[in-house]
Amino acid sequence: MEIYIDTANLDEIKQAADLGILDGVTTNPTLIAKEGIDYGKRLAEICKVVSGPVSAEVIAVDFDGMMKEARERLKIADNIVIKLPVTLPGLKACKALADEGVKTNMTLCFQSLQAMMVAKAGAFLISPFIGRLDDVGEDGMELIRNIRQIYDNYGFDTKILAASIRHPNHMLHCALAGADVATAPLKVITDCMKHPLTDIGLERFLSDYKKAFG
Ligand code: E4P
């Protein structure tokens, strides 16, 4: 499974890239607002650190506005992926951009048919939001499993990018369900390498060695 980091914070992106397992970056308007920096400027900085796909979300909600913003963002770097909401104007922009060979990440997906529609339109990535579904008492992982089945049934090559990931257990079940990519905050990525028995075991090995050899 590919791993993207879900942040617009440059320091966190550098830390994740340093681990050697980072495949891409997703950003959104909330994440960029937290940074309080110009979106285009930050995207350019991110693209200098990461060569994999970097998702840049449009702010416009109408087709023409989305296309205009997409064209601006695409000038930033070759690895920019245009992130569009799974609305009707978003679907139309997805198809228009795909026809031009532009990669899109279709975001805010909460039901499987949205994923089927954007796959038909040629989306590069679909972003089902697991955590936000869990938050309202639904089963986010079921959405991943259903999209996987639909895509496999028809041979769609749109990649499933599991989003709104809150903890390592989400990462585990995404991998088991066959998500192609998971995007997560830095803490979740680093927590995937943690287990208390690893720490206890390492401590014991080192103290035994020290006892024997000083
Ligand atoms: C995905 O691209 C989104 O940026 C993100 O995963 C949303 O996560 P949240 O529900 O934790 O805000």
Side-chain angles (χ1 to χ4, degrees), residues 181-195:
V181 194
T183 188
L186 180 64
K187 184 176 182 315
V188 176
I189 295 173
T190 55
D191 279 356
C192 288
M193 281 300 287
K194 287 186 187 156
H195 194 285

Side-chain angles (χ1 to χ4, degrees), residues 14-85:
K14 284 180 182 163
Q15 285 182 55
D18 228 37
L19 295 172
I21 48 82
L22 187 68
D23 299 296
V25 179
T26 50
T27 64
N28 67 38
T30 301
L31 294 171
I32 200 76
K34 262 194 221 163
E35 298 299 308
I37 188 172
D38 176 76
Y39 202 174
K41 187 171 178 278
R42 178 48 50 91
L43 287 166
E45 291 170 334
I46 296 172
C47 290
K48 282 196 186 119
V49 178
V50 178
S51 58
V54 173
S55 288
E57 188 158 343
V58 298
I59 309 297
V61 290
D62 63 300
F63 173 77
D64 290 335
M66 286 177 183
M67 294 300 286
K68 189 168 171 266
E69 268 184 58
R71 298 204 189 294
E72 279 307 306
R73 298 297 185 224
L74 287 166
K75 288 181 200 155
I76 295 172
D78 289 345
N79 52 332
I80 288 284
V81 169
I82 302 300
K83 200 172 176 195
L84 304 159

Side-chain angles (χ1 to χ4, degrees), residues 6 26-28 31 83 107 127 129 132 163-166 183:
D6 193 31
T26 50
T27 64
N28 67 38
L31 294 171
K83 200 172 176 195
T107 193
S127 289
F129 276 40
R132 292 192 195 187
S164 188
I165 300 246
R166 303 277 158 79
T183 188

